[in-house]
């Protein structure tokens, strides 16, 4: 039986430009990519000129890399009703407009925080919940229809700690361009134990029931330095942490998730970011 070719890639630096990240991905034998549009702790995104845009698009096509994602700035908080919220909306609008020019899929974003420690699973009663929904709608209303805003689940007490919170946002925004990225380290930190295939199948069935598997757009494959349910977000190299290779194997070989882009955000065995060793470790877990 011929093996299915999966999309395995990484978050890579753009210190050598956008095209430099594409070239590095090729050296890692990866075929999907995630990058920042600027320095993640500043409210600015890069402004490539027309020749740089053309070079990036052409190189992406030459290497047959179908899926490239921006990871939005770390400063973003779409639940903020003040200056931070306004800057978050403006940043994502600018980023998704740039994504359209670069033929980048969309932006994966850490949604933000309500700045309290509520233990409720539901977030609809939160003071700034309406602000969150309106900010997301504003981003989508002012960006190209071919781009996606992709909310990432949280491994801490921030928005999206549990699937039910993401489900509420998706339902209330009511826009097909709002998608979800699941991070294995974050799921582990939030207490989702997906090592056993029965647990994994139940999780996906629950996701499908509450959100819809058609909304699942990408997977971040990351191990964790911390124990299950720690609510701590510290990534580790594949097989070196506490998530368990069974979880990665389940995602990589399931009939639905195997079709998605898998992005590694790991420290690297040389602590210089995702490396070929990590990508090769992932590929060895593929059995389909």
């Amino acid at each position: 039986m011929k093996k299915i070719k999966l999309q395995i890639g990484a978050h890579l630096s753009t210190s050598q430009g956008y095209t430099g990240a594409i070239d590095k991905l090729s050296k890692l034998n990866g075929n999907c990519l995630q990058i920042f549009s600027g320095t993640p702790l500043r409210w600015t995104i890069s402004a490539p000129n027309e020749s740089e845009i053309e070079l990036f698009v052409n190189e992406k096509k030459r290497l047959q890399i179908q899926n490239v994602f921006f990871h939005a700035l770390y400063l973003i908080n779409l639940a903020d009703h003040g200056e931070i919220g306004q800057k978050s909306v403006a940043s994502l609008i600018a980023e998704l407009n740039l994504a359209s020019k670069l033929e980048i899929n969309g932006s994966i974003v850490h949604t933000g925080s309500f700045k309290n420690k509520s233990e409720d699973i539901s977030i609809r009663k939160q003071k700034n919940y309406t602000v969150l929904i309106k900010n997301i709608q504003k981003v989508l209303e002012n960006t190209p229809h071919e781009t996606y805003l992709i909310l990432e689940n949280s491994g801490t007490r921030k928005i999206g700690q549990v699937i039910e919170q993401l489900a509420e946002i998706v339902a209330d925004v009511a826009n097909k361009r709002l998608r979800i990225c699941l991070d294995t380290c974050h799921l582990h930190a939030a207490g989702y134990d997906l090592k056993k295939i029965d647990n994994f199948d139940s999780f996906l069935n629950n996701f499908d029931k509450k959100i819809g598997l058609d909304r699942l757009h990408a997977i971040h494959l990351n191990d964790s330095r911390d124990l299950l349910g720690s609510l701590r977000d510290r990534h580790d190299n594949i097989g070196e942490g506490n998530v368990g290779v069974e979880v990665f194997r389940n995602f990589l070989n399931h009939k639905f998730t195997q079709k998605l882009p898998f992005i590694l955000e790991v420290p690297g065995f040389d602590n210089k970011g995702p490396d070929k060793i990590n990508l090769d470790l992932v590929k060895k877990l593929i059995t389909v």
Side-chain angles (χ1 to χ4, degrees), residues 58-258:
N58 289 340
E59 190 71 356
K60 183 164 68 74
K61 289 179 179 178
R62 184 181 72 82
L63 295 172
Q64 298 182 326
I65 298 170
Q66 295 182 348
N67 284 296
V68 179
F69 302 92
F70 277 134
H71 192 298
L73 307 180
Y74 291 145
L75 300 173
I76 285 175
N77 185 358
L78 289 165
D80 183 87
H81 70 282
E83 183 181 4
I84 297 298
Q86 293 173 6
K87 287 184 175 181
S88 297
V89 169
S91 174
L92 285 170
I93 289 174
E95 186 164 272
L96 286 177
N97 276 283
L98 177 59
S100 177
K101 295 178 182 179
L102 290 164
E103 298 184 14
I104 284 176
N105 199 293
S107 295
I108 297 174
V109 58
H110 297 170
T111 311
S113 171
F114 292 115
K115 301 292 179 69
N116 65 22
K117 295 184 179 180
S118 172
E119 298 297 328
D120 290 342
I121 290 178
S122 174
I123 54 175
R124 282 185 169 131
K125 294 181 180 179
Q126 289 280 357
K127 182 179 179 180
N128 286 348
Y129 181 73
T130 301
V131 172
L132 169 66
I133 299 303
K134 288 183 177 179
N135 279 343
I136 293 174
Q137 289 172 333
K138 187 174 182 180
V139 171
L140 292 167
E141 289 165 1
N142 291 277
T143 48
H145 70 277
E146 71 272 14
T147 60
Y148 295 97
L149 183 64
I150 308 162
L151 306 183
E152 184 176 346
N153 67 303
S154 170
T156 63
R157 296 185 187 278
K158 295 182 179 180
I159 298 167
Q161 178 184 335
V162 293
I163 296 306
E164 288 76 9
Q165 294 176 353
L166 295 173
E168 290 179 342
I169 297 170
V170 168
D172 294 342
V173 170
N175 190 309
K176 292 181 179 180
R177 290 174 52 222
L178 187 64
R179 300 296 175 92
I180 302 297
C181 171
L182 290 177
D183 184 303
T184 56
C185 175
H186 298 178
L187 288 168
H188 173 84
Y192 290 98
D193 187 351
L194 305 179
K195 295 185 184 70
K196 294 181 180 179
I197 191 62
D198 289 346
N199 290 352
F200 184 77
D201 286 338
S202 294
F203 171 80
L204 285 187
N205 288 336
N206 185 50
F207 187 100
D208 194 27
K209 179 181 177 180
K210 294 181 177 177
I211 299 177
L213 283 172
D214 58 321
R215 297 271 190 172
L216 186 52
H217 209 70
I219 306 294
H220 284 166
L221 282 187
N222 301 308
D223 217 323
S224 174
R225 293 169 59 188
D226 300 293
L227 298 178
L228 182 72
S230 65
L231 297 180
R232 301 186 72 183
D233 179 17
R234 299 194 301 169
H235 296 192
D236 206 345
N237 294 310
I238 300 299
E240 294 289 298
N242 295 292
V243 170
V245 294
E246 300 91 344
V247 175
F248 307 130
R249 187 180 289 115
N250 289 337
F251 271 105
L252 290 161
N253 296 290
H254 188 275
K255 63 183 180 181
F256 179 81
T257 52
Q258 68 184 212

